Structure formats: structure tokens, C-alpha cells
């Protein structure tokens, strides 16, 4: 098994944090996005979409999409459960993971990709107006998350889950996107302080 990793990029980090939470170690092959190694013919043969992460199994199967990779490891090692347990809890984790991915990580990524000079080569064409139009989306979703976190410890309930991993990574990715969590969002800040203090957050 081999995990094609992408350094500081947010999606590969989701998988690394997930593995750290599971206490799993997987052989890693770095793919240098700065040098456009993900566009090389070798990596394109692994993932024609030229994106990281990708997981190569011993039988040659390639799994892409961070959450699909995480699900693979969840089945291999169910403890601690990070996708919920039972019908209701699993559905709520799925719901929140998708909400955070679509309404926070997605818009933050669009701000970064369409405004940061380092992304000029990767995001063609860069559309600064699209970066701007994603900023209010980020702000709106952060406010929603803050109000949700008033009544519970973690994003999808009382147990830490993959929804918190996506949330942590999205909020950390706000820094290079030059976005900040407003100080008024105290519940969100309390949650962030807790999840970012977990050892897995160093991954
Ligand atoms: N939906 C994919 C997204 C993968 C993705 O976009 N990865 C970024 C790094 S965070 C990438 O490879 N970007 C290269 C590029 O845009 O050329 C997932 O969840 O893994």
C-alpha cells in the first residue's frame, strides 16, 4: 500500500489527520505540487484528474478522493469510529462532513486558488472576482457553524468525527487564503482550540 501525499495541501492533510486519529502508519510517496509533479505522466497514470491524495493498494487498485480513502481505513480499523456508529449518528456525520466540505473547505479553496499568486500556474485562469464572491459564503457558513457549536462539543455531535477533521483543515486553510475567523464567533473558537490541540492536528 502507498499513499501519494501532497505536503501542505489541505486534502492530503485530511487523510493524514485521519490516519493519525486511527493510529495507522502507511508508506507515503510525496508528490511535490510546487514542482507540478502531480501533472507528470507518471502521476497522471495513477490519477488522471492530477489531484492528490491517492491511495494505491497492493493489488494495484487506486483510490482517490480523501473521504473515500478515509472510509477505506475506517473499515480496516473501525476504532475509534470517525464516521459515526448506527444509522442516525452515521447519517449526521455524513451530513456534517459534506456540509463542511461543500460550504467551507470548497469556498475557502476557491478564495485561495483564485487570489494567491502561488496558484497562478495551477489555477488557469485565475479569476479574482470569483475569489471575492466566495468570501461571504465562508463568512455565512462560519456563523452557522458557530451557532451549531453552541449546543454540542463537536461538529456532528458529542464525539470527534471526520466532520471535525474537514472543519479543522478548512479553518487552517483560511490562513494562506488570507481569511480570519471573527472574534465574535466564540463557540467556533472554543471548538477550534480543542480540535487543533489534538496530537493528530500536527499531521
Ligand atoms: N475532491 C478531492 C480533491 C483533491 C484536490 O483537489 N487536491 C488538491 C490538493 S488539496 C490538488 O491535488 N490540487 C492540484 C491542482 O489543482 O492542480 C479530494 O477530496 O481528495
Amino acid at each position: 500500500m502507498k499513499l501519494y501525499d501532497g505536503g501542505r495541501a489541505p486534502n492530503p492533510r485530511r487523510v493524514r489527520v485521519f490516519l493519525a486519529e486511527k493510529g495507522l502508519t502507511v508508506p507515503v510517496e510525496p508528490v511535490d505540487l510546487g514542482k507540478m509533479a502531480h501533472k507528470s505522466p507518471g502521476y497522471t497514470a495513477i490519477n488522471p484528474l492530477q489531484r492528490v491524495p491517492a491511495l494505491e493498494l497492493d493489488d494495484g487498485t487506486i483510490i482517490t478522493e480523501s473521504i473515500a480513502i478515509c472510509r477505506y481505513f475506517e473499515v480496516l480499523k473501525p476504532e475509534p469510529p470517525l464516521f459515526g456508529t448506527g444509522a442516525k449518528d452515521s447519517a449526521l456525520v455524513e451530513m456534517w462532513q459534506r456540509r463542511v466540505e461543500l460550504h467551507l473547505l470548497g469556498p475557502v479553496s476557491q478564495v485561495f486558488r483564485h487570489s494567491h499568486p502561488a496558484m497562478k500556474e495551477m489555477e488557469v485562469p485565475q479569476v479574482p472576482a470569483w475569489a471575492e464572491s466566495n468570501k461571504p459564503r465562508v463568512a455565512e457558513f462560519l456563523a452557522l457553524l458557530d451557532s451549531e457549536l453552541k449546543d454540542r462539543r463537536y461538529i456532528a455531535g458529542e464525539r470527534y468525527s471526520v466532520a471535525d477533521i474537514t472543519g479543522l483543515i478548512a479553518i487552517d486553510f483560511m490562513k494562506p487564503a488570507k481569511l480570519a475567523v471573527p472574534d465574535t464567533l466564540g463557540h467556533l473558537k472554543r471548538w477550534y482550540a480543542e480540535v487543533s490541540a489534538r496530537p493528530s492536528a500536527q499531521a
Side-chain angles (χ1 to χ4, degrees):
M1 187 187 291
K2 195 196 295 182
L3 179 66
Y4 292 90
D5 191 14
R8 284 183 301 166
N11 283 296
R13 185 171 169 231
R14 288 205 280 175
V15 174
R16 292 201 307 274
V17 172
F18 191 91
L19 288 171
E21 287 286 339
K22 291 280 179 188
L24 289 171
T25 311
V26 172
V28 163
E29 178 146 333
V31 178
D32 191 338
L33 298 190
K35 291 189 176 147
M36 294 293 204
H38 61 299
K39 306 265 186 194
S40 68
Y43 189 73
T44 304
I46 289 155
N47 183 5
L49 281 180
Q50 302 178 320
R51 301 275 170 138
V52 285
L55 180 70
E56 184 173 356
L57 304 185
D58 292 343
D59 69 359
T61 303
I62 304 288
I63 304 174
T64 66
E65 297 300 323
S66 310
I67 294 301
I69 296 171
C70 291
R71 281 199 177 277
Y72 177 78
F73 289 117
E74 178 86 354
V75 173
L76 281 191
K77 188 172 189 291
E79 293 295 328
L82 294 173
F83 279 93
T85 53
K88 185 170 95 173
D89 187 43
S90 305
L92 288 172
V93 170
E94 181 77 26
M95 174 182 108
W96 278 107
Q97 195 299 121
R98 280 186 66 75
R99 284 178 149 186
V100 176
E101 185 174 67
L102 294 170
H103 298 282
L104 187 60
L105 181 58
V108 171
S109 303
Q110 294 305 310
V111 173
F112 177 74
R113 295 178 70 99
H114 287 275
S115 64
H116 201 286
M119 291 303 290
K120 261 206 168 83
E121 215 184 327
M122 230 180 272
E123 192 61 57
V124 184
Q126 251 186 342
V127 182
W130 177 236
E132 284 308 309
S133 62
N134 274 280
K135 290 182 182 176
R137 293 176 191 166
V138 172
E140 269 167 39
F141 192 78
L142 290 178
L144 176 115
L145 213 45
D146 182 69
S147 67
E148 294 285 334
L149 285 163
K150 176 164 62 71
D151 300 321
R152 58 182 187 267
R153 186 168 172 191
Y154 295 112
I155 291 180
E158 293 308 310
R159 194 196 342 236
Y160 180 90
S161 76
V162 70
D164 297 293
I165 296 179
T166 300
L168 165 77
I169 270 105
I171 289 188
D172 283 346
F173 198 40
M174 286 173 63
K175 201 172 170 193
K178 298 191 169 48
L179 298 166
V181 175
D183 284 335
T184 48
L185 303 184
H187 307 296
L188 184 62
K189 291 217 158 203
R190 182 269 306 154
W191 162 85
Y192 178 76
E194 185 174 343
V195 296
S196 61
R198 294 171 80 92
S200 62
Q202 300 309 314

